[in-house]
Amino acid sequence: MLLELARWLAEDIRGFAVFNYLTLRAVLACGTALALGLLLGPAVIRKLTEYKIGQSVRDDGPQTHLVKAGTPTMGGALVLLSITLSTLLWADLSNRFVWVVLIVTLGFGWIGWVDDYRKVVYRNPKGLPAKWKYFWQSVIGVLAASYLAFAVSANSSESVLDVFTLWVQSGFSMYLPNRADLIVPFFKSVTYPLGVWGFITLSYFVIVGTSNAVNLTDGLDGLAIMPTVMVASALAIFAYVAGNSVYSKYLLLPFIPGAGEVTVFLAALSGAGLAFLWFNAYPAQVFMGDVGALALGGALGTVAVIVRQEIVLFIMGGVFVAETLSVMIQVAYFKYSGGKRIFRMAPLHHHYELSGWKETQVVVRFWIITMMLVLFGLSTLKLR
């Protein structure tokens, strides 16, 4: 929005041409989202409190969490509002990748909002039934994955419809270009062609899986939002490189025309996340809820697909992965053993709480682990 205005003004006042620089707009998007979050946060928290939109706490959870009952939830709506407004202000709205990430983010946010609404209004800690939550996640995930299969494959002079038409005309046998391959980090030339169906399948699992992984991690004050900010910031670097023909060639990464603009969205996400952390830090004044966790996870997964860094996302989001695996292992072993447990409680952060760690210790240590994993993931830019 402001980019178009700046371009129009630049025709007469050359100084406005500076807004064409992606890095400047990313910084401004981050600052705008941060300011919006900090300014609107107190008002949002007051409204949530007035409407008695308080957190329902699991009866079988750690007893120390019972004091959290009634704390305003659905604060993720504040994050989504800040991201959306900032992105609309500073991003190039003619860019297809910006829109697909925004739509996926808001779509998953809508699912989370319905889930949170049921928890708050009906006082049901389980919220939206799992089968329906997964169904709608799958609908959005499949549509996004299908679109990205052709959006990533299109060059700067092609539309998504052009590539899709060529695929249909080929009898659904057309190969995707090399930039759509699955990249194996730390190797110069190890990639795996996926084909259209393989691309869609992998992308679906990355988007939906990351959404649920972040949601499972969101169980302690500040635990999910800071790792999300760190991973988003690292993905912003990958997006900037992938969208730049010079840097991508030098670093041996695929050049994805238009992917660089996603940097603005990720910068907005980082700013909004930091603003939310101001209110979500221990002891939390507001919780993110599924409306925020599902949306932010879906956003990270979608961006990783766009910049072709699915495996790197798996590395950098190691905390999210560990939390998810702990739930899967616990459930499987519980059924197999007839009621025995491996962890004191799943997800993993509850296990450490019940092992004697204070909540703040769990959160900060998981932050530190994420920071190390993010740095390790960033090293794949050069170490090949």
Side-chain angles (χ1 to χ4, degrees), residues 183-190 309 311-312 315 375-384:
I183 299 173
V184 179
F186 299 110
F187 296 92
K188 288 184 178 181
S189 57
V190 179
Q309 298 298 329
I311 295 179
V312 171
I315 295 172
L375 292 174
F376 184 63
L378 285 172
S379 71
T380 64
L381 280 168
K382 191 61 180 174
L383 298 180
R384 293 179 180 275

Side-chain angles (χ1 to χ4, degrees), residues 280-333:
N280 186 236
Y282 182 86
Q285 297 173 257
V286 64
F287 296 138
M288 183 156 54
D290 285 13
V291 63
L294 290 177
L296 296 180
L300 294 180
T302 304
V303 172
V305 171
I306 292 172
V307 301
R308 314 305 308 130
Q309 298 298 329
E310 297 93 340
I311 295 179
V312 171
L313 173 63
F314 185 87
I315 295 172
M316 296 192 299
V319 165
F320 303 139
V321 174
E323 294 272 31
T324 304
L325 289 176
S326 69
V327 174
M328 296 171 65
I329 293 171
Q330 185 86 321
V331 172
Y333 187 74

Side-chain angles (χ1 to χ4, degrees), residues 28-222:
L28 292 172
C30 180
T32 301
L34 178 62
L36 285 171
L38 292 175
L39 289 173
L40 298 177
V44 170
I45 293 173
R46 282 197 302 271
K47 286 297 181 182
L48 292 174
T49 303
E50 289 175 10
Y51 293 143
K52 301 186 185 301
I53 302 179
Q55 176 72 24
S56 297
V57 178
R58 290 169 50 184
D59 296 331
D60 58 344
Q63 295 302 300
T64 55
H65 285 208
L66 296 178
V67 297
K68 299 175 183 284
T71 302
T73 188
M74 298 179 71
L78 172 64
V79 180
L80 298 186
L81 178 63
S82 301
I83 292 172
T84 302
L85 290 177
S86 184
T87 301
L88 292 177
L89 284 174
W90 297 112
D92 181 357
L93 300 183
S94 65
N95 184 282
R96 57 192 170 213
F97 292 122
V98 169
W99 282 110
V100 71
V101 175
L102 264 180
I103 291 171
V104 170
T105 302
L106 295 177
F108 277 97
W110 170 76
I111 297 171
W113 184 88
V114 174
D115 187 43
D116 288 334
Y117 183 81
R118 286 172 174 261
K119 291 176 182 177
V120 171
V121 174
Y122 299 109
R123 302 298 177 185
N124 179 6
K126 295 183 179 180
L128 184 68
K131 64 178 181 180
W132 286 110
K133 184 188 295 186
Y134 185 70
F135 171 78
W136 289 113
Q137 285 180 309
S138 297
V139 169
I140 297 173
V142 168
L143 291 175
S146 301
Y147 179 85
L148 290 176
F150 304 105
V152 169
S153 302
N155 57 42
S156 55
S157 62
E158 291 178 316
S159 68
V160 175
L161 183 59
D162 292 335
V163 181
F164 176 76
T165 302
L166 289 173
W167 179 61
V168 173
Q169 292 174 345
S170 71
F172 308 105
S173 60
M174 182 185 76
Y175 289 100
L176 296 180
N178 293 337
R179 59 176 170 269
D181 292 351
L182 175 64
I183 299 173
V184 179
F186 299 110
F187 296 92
K188 288 184 178 181
S189 57
V190 179
T191 60
Y192 292 97
L194 297 171
V196 173
W197 297 115
F199 187 103
I200 292 173
T201 302
L202 175 65
S203 300
Y204 162 78
F205 282 113
V206 170
I207 294 170
V208 175
T210 308
S211 175
N212 287 307
V214 173
N215 192 38
L216 287 172
T217 306
D218 185 33
L220 301 178
D221 298 352

